[in-house]
Amino acid sequence: MVRAGICVSCGACVALDAGGASRMRTTPRGPLPQFAPDTRLPELAWDACPGKGIVYPALYRAHYGKLPESWLVGPLLVVRTGHAADPAVRAKGASGGVTSAVLIHLLEAGLVDAVIVAKQGVPTPLEASPVFANARDQVLAAAQSVYIPVAMLDALARLEPGKRYAITLVPEQAAALRWLQTQGDARALQIAYVLGPYTGTALYPAAIQTFLRSQRVPRSDAVTSLQWRAGEWPGYLEIRTEAGRVLRSKKIYYNFLIPFFVTQASLQSMDFANEFCDLSVGDAWSPKFEAEGGGHSVVVTRSAEMEAIVARLVADGTLALDTVDPLGATEMHGHMIDFKKRGGFIRNGWRLALGLKAPDYGIAPESVPTSRKAVEAVVSGLFVVGRTGLARWIVAQIPESVIGPVFNRLRLGWKAASKPTKRKGLGNLRMIETVRDPGRE
Ligand SMILES: Cc1cc2nc3c(=O)[nH]c(=O)nc-3n(C[C@H](O)[C@H](O)[C@H](O)COP(=O)(O)OP(=O)(O)OC[C@H]3O[C@@H](n4cnc5c(N)ncnc54)[C@H](O)[C@@H]3O)c2cc1C
Ligand code: SF4
């Protein structure tokens, strides 16, 4: 998977190495497995590897006992919008602080011994790692989104026997963990609750260097801290340096890094709404909420136990959430749902046609209009050109104050122009199960 360029940096294989000496090593493409000479990987490591793809229909059946009724956002119980009621938690959170509020409750109610969260700045300001938190302050210190790959499942190797945990995972990691759980892996079964973000695109860590160069920060001026969603929702990237510089870029502006540094995991994934979490949370993008400000989330419960917890937290005033129509809520994320469900499928197919490796999720959209493939040719063409060394060098020469707003205008223009094609047939999206090629096994 690593050589083929489709490892999604989940860390599961390293945690499962019975030799115990393999590690996730830091690279410009995020953490990647470095296998020790005496690596002993069980068969399960291959089966659970989300880089090669996990067969989703089998996983839906094993975990939920059925296929999803909605192929847009996966099996669900209730969809709500809102935020954490405590203004301090809401302000700390990436969107509305609901994830952090629920994690704090799980800890304080004694439902788990610790929560495993992603923290930017560990072990160095430019890296991010899973950390164990067992108090409110520690959970809040790891709030916000981390937009570079974090090897969350690496933490499975550090669980203490007999303890129960909650964890935050991005979609491929959640699928891998569920696969391990369905296969009875003892450590995976210690994870009692899985929470995770809706996940559109993540960036390779090399993006940060380009951002710094575009802000004319010399290489000698080291970064001392980095936050991806600082300040008022939707937040800004904030980087502080040793020389005392404080760089801020609005979220909508630093999106210019996406075409140049989008991760392969973002492009190959077919899951946007984190369909194997007990609780999935995204930004509630809507003109109404954006005008109101303050941070709003869309919140999806997928297990009876998590639904009971969230309902209790709404009743006792910890969470300020309103139930909404599930299909209506998908309107907020139609673009990204299409990017994953149809775009991911098309891109993976094209990789295979070019002789490259791609994950196989065992599902395919029932039909993909030709116009949608044409839109994908433009999008993918942009990524292919953007990810070359020359394009990355050129973009580093343009000040963020210029490229940020220009890119934002182009993005909004493209989004409006491609919307009819990208939304066509999306509401009725159906997936079919595909027969896997046994030759790949
Ligand atoms: C890479 C990425 C892409 C995203 N793309 C979209 C998008 O396109 N559309 C959308 O609506 N929402 C997206 N989100 C989700 C959004 O940014 C918020 O994370 C989400 O709304 C939860 O907000 P919150 O206030 O409840 O979270 P918080 O209360 O801030 O808690 C977030 C929790 O998630 C953990 N976490 C953060 N990043 C990671 C990570 N990379 N891996 C594992 N755990 C993590 C944190 O440690 C923290 O505990 C994305 C998130 C990520 C990480
Ligand atoms: S995707 Fe995960 S399990 Fe697969 S090779 Fe990468 S780190 Fe290992």
Side-chain angles (χ1 to χ4, degrees):
M1 296 312 117
V2 177
R3 275 198 300 272
I6 55 174
C7 167
V8 299
S9 301
C10 76
C13 53
V14 161
L16 290 171
D17 172 17
S22 297
R23 294 283 173 267
M24 295 300 283
R25 76 188 154 94
T26 302
T27 81
R29 290 173 62 91
L32 290 174
Q34 182 162 43
F35 295 110
D38 72 335
T39 294
R40 281 172 285 133
L41 289 182
E43 191 66 23
L44 194 54
W46 168 255
D47 293 340
C49 170
K52 66 130 189 33
I54 293 173
V55 183
Y56 275 28
L59 189 57
Y60 287 130
R61 289 192 179 96
H63 182 62
Y64 291 108
K66 58 178 184 180
L67 295 177
E69 278 155 33
S70 159
W71 286 100
L72 299 180
V73 287
L76 58 87
L77 295 178
V78 180
V79 181
R80 298 175 173 89
T81 55
H83 51 83
D86 180 340
V89 178
R90 185 182 186 188
K92 272 275 179 191
S95 53
V98 171
T99 311
S100 294
V102 173
L103 292 172
I104 291 168
H105 169 77
L106 295 176
L107 275 173
E108 293 183 347
L111 294 169
V112 294
D113 298 290
V115 302
I116 309 165
V117 284
K119 192 166 179 195
Q120 182 70 44
V122 180
T124 67
L126 295 182
E127 292 173 278
S129 307
V131 296
F132 288 69
N134 42 33
R136 175 191 167 93
D137 289 356
Q138 293 170 5
V139 173
L140 291 180
Q144 292 192 11
S145 303
V146 178
Y147 289 125
I148 53 175
V150 193
M152 294 300 294
L153 295 179
D154 192 16
L156 290 179
R158 288 183 273 142
L159 303 188
E160 289 181 43
K163 291 200 168 170
R164 278 163 64 88
Y165 299 87
I167 193 167
T168 59
L169 299 174
V170 292
E172 291 64 43
Q173 299 170 343
L177 180 81
R178 293 307 190 195
W179 188 257
L180 293 174
Q181 289 180 330
T182 62
Q183 301 306 301
D185 180 79
R187 287 179 299 183
L189 288 167
Q190 286 180 255
I191 308 289
Y193 304 98
V194 182
L195 293 81
Y198 277 22
T199 308
T201 50
L203 298 168
Y204 286 129
I208 303 167
Q209 293 303 335
T210 291
F211 179 80
L212 292 170
R213 296 301 85 78
S214 78
Q215 294 271 17
R216 305 292 174 261
V217 176
R219 286 178 197 277
S220 55
D221 187 8
V223 170
T224 52
S225 76
L226 185 154
Q227 291 185 71
W228 293 98
R229 297 279 297 258
E232 177 80 356
W233 184 69
Y236 46 79
L237 172 67
E238 182 185 278
I239 299 182
R240 290 171 186 266
T241 74
E242 223 162 48
R245 287 193 64 184
V246 182
L247 312 171
R248 294 201 175 104
S249 176
K250 287 186 190 173
K251 179 157 174 22
I252 51 167
Y253 289 169
Y254 73 83
N255 276 341
F256 82 84
L257 293 165
I258 294 172
F260 304 92
F261 294 97
V262 64
T263 61
Q264 177 55 31
S266 309
L267 298 180
Q268 69 194 32
S269 170
M270 288 179 68
D271 178 358
F272 167 66
N274 222 334
E275 299 179 20
F276 293 99
C277 285
D278 298 298
L279 187 77
S280 314
V281 184
D283 285 280
W285 302 123
S286 81
K288 176 175 164 266
F289 292 142
E290 285 166 49
E292 250 176 60
H296 298 264
S297 304
V298 55
V299 181
V300 178
T301 54
R302 303 186 191 275
S303 68
E305 201 182 339
M306 182 54 78
E307 172 49 30
I309 291 169
V310 170
R312 240 183 1 254
L313 294 178
V314 172
D316 75 10
T318 304
L319 297 177
L321 297 176
D322 296 316
T323 301
V324 295
D325 167 50
L327 189 60
T330 61
E331 277 295 309
M332 288 187 268
H333 301 99
H335 206 73
M336 260 307 159
I337 293 171
D338 168 76
F339 181 81
K340 298 286 176 174
K341 293 288 176 187
R342 297 197 291 204
F345 174 74
I346 300 169
R347 290 185 292 272
N348 290 338
W350 285 350
R351 276 183 71 89
L352 291 176
L354 289 168
L356 300 169
K357 299 274 188 220
D360 183 353
Y361 301 114
I363 45 171
E366 207 169 42
S367 70
V368 182
T370 309
S371 55
R372 177 64 188 86
K373 289 184 187 158
V375 163
E376 193 54 49
V378 176
V379 176
S380 290
L382 189 66
F383 291 141
V384 168
V385 174
R387 295 203 288 173
T388 58
L390 178 64
R392 287 176 175 181
W393 180 84
I394 291 171
V395 77
Q397 312 311 309
I398 309 172
E400 177 266 357
S401 54
V402 173
I403 191 152
V406 168
F407 179 80
N408 190 42
R409 269 200 295 280
L410 289 174
R411 187 181 68 88
L412 294 177
W414 167 252
K415 217 171 153 182
S418 61
K419 188 171 175 180
T421 309
K422 294 196 92 190
R423 300 292 172 102
K424 193 173 155 197
L426 189 64
N428 306 319
L429 179 77
R430 292 215 54 78
M431 292 288 185
I432 51 172
E433 293 182 48
T434 52
V435 181
R436 303 193 89 207
D437 173 12
R440 288 189 74 240
E441 299 292 333

